[in-house]
Amino acid sequence: MKNNLIFIGMPAVGKSTVGVVVAKQLGLHFVDTDLLIQEQEHRLLREIIAQDGEEAFLKIENQVNSQIEVSDAVISPGGSVVYCEEAMNHLKEIGTVVYLKASYRTIKRRIQNPKKRGVVLRQGQTLRDLYEERTKLFQKYADITVSQDGCKMEETVSKVLEAVEAVLR
């Protein structure tokens, strides 16, 4: 394993929640790149998107994620990072990418209201459209895929730890 774990997946899949627990169990740091973006821009993510637009946000997201330099960490980028090729190539260089996978049904149940959750949908795009579009990208970049449908958080953490341990062997 490279010395970082990077969690990717849809919003509400548990990247941050599972990431924090995995980091604690493995004695690693935890980095939420959405918080790094907010610190750099001195604005909330939704404010950046509302004021500057989605394209400008993706440029910032790409810049922050492609310049992250940490070791011995669990990194949790936002779900849209998979649109940022430069960032994803960098993240794959510095770590093992873990795709936390959940069915559309699970994501829809967890998100309920995409706007309140901060999920950006393009004009005419549905949550299902977004799910299908991103799922292909998550699969493309994943080194490890952990399906968490029907799992409690503790079960997902165990699955991640088992999968990571298998990569270490």
Side-chain angles (χ1 to χ4, degrees), residues 140-158:
K140 171 184 172 182
Y141 289 113
D143 296 311
I144 297 170
T145 299
V146 175
S147 179
Q148 53 158 265
D149 281 326
C151 294
K152 292 185 169 83
M153 194 259 298
E154 298 81 14
E155 294 169 304
T156 300
V157 168
S158 292

Side-chain angles (χ1 to χ4, degrees), residues 47-65:
E47 293 171 337
I48 298 167
I49 294 165
Q51 294 165 9
D52 302 345
E54 183 183 0
E55 204 168 304
F57 171 75
L58 287 174
K59 282 185 182 176
I60 295 165
E61 185 171 42
N62 185 57
Q63 174 257 315
V64 168
N65 282 281

